[in-house]
Amino acid sequence: MAKSVEDNKENMMICKDFCGICPTFKENKLKESPPHALFCARGKSEIAEKIVDKGCTCFGCPIFKRDDLEGGYFCIYGLEGKK
Ligand code: SF4
Ligand code: SF4
């Protein structure tokens, strides 16, 4: 079972290294729209419907492994990830 991810500074620092280098994140300038990052804790991007999928780097993120997350693409699909 996936654990819920906390919206805290420590997790944000980790997310920066993975969402931050993600081609989807860069291409769609996700940083500029709320919630900016840490989508696995905060939910999908406000511009989720407009996001062009260029791949997801969540799968290499230590939070993804630590909290047994599934699916990835949290910026598009919200807390549950892609099904
Ligand atoms: S949730 Fe996945 S697809 Fe979205 S910006 Fe982060 S790494 Fe990229
Ligand atoms: S699993 Fe994805 S959205 Fe969550 S912290 Fe890691 S890179 Fe960011």
Side-chain angles (χ1 to χ4, degrees):
M1 264 295 272
K3 298 184 191 90
S4 57
V5 179
E6 264 189 67
D7 182 2
N8 61 30
K9 210 171 167 185
E10 188 195 347
N11 287 344
M12 188 59 201
M13 292 301 289
I14 297 169
C15 186
K16 236 169 121 179
D17 289 339
F18 291 88
C19 275
I21 59 158
C22 170
T24 298
F25 188 83
K26 290 185 190 168
E27 171 82 17
N28 298 281
K29 298 186 170 63
L30 298 185
K31 195 180 171 184
E32 293 173 11
S33 305
H36 311 292
L38 201 58
F39 307 104
C40 61
R42 297 175 178 172
K44 66 183 176 184
S45 171
E46 269 188 3
I47 59 159
E49 294 75 29
K50 293 186 197 148
I51 291 176
V52 180
D53 177 2
K54 296 276 179 186
C56 177
T57 47
C58 285
F59 306 100
C61 172
I63 293 174
F64 189 87
K65 292 174 194 152
R66 182 194 73 194
D67 292 346
D68 291 322
L69 304 184
E70 285 171 9
Y73 292 96
F74 302 105
C75 58
I76 301 176
Y77 299 104
L79 300 179
E80 303 229 318
K82 192 176 185 174
K83 290 284 178 209

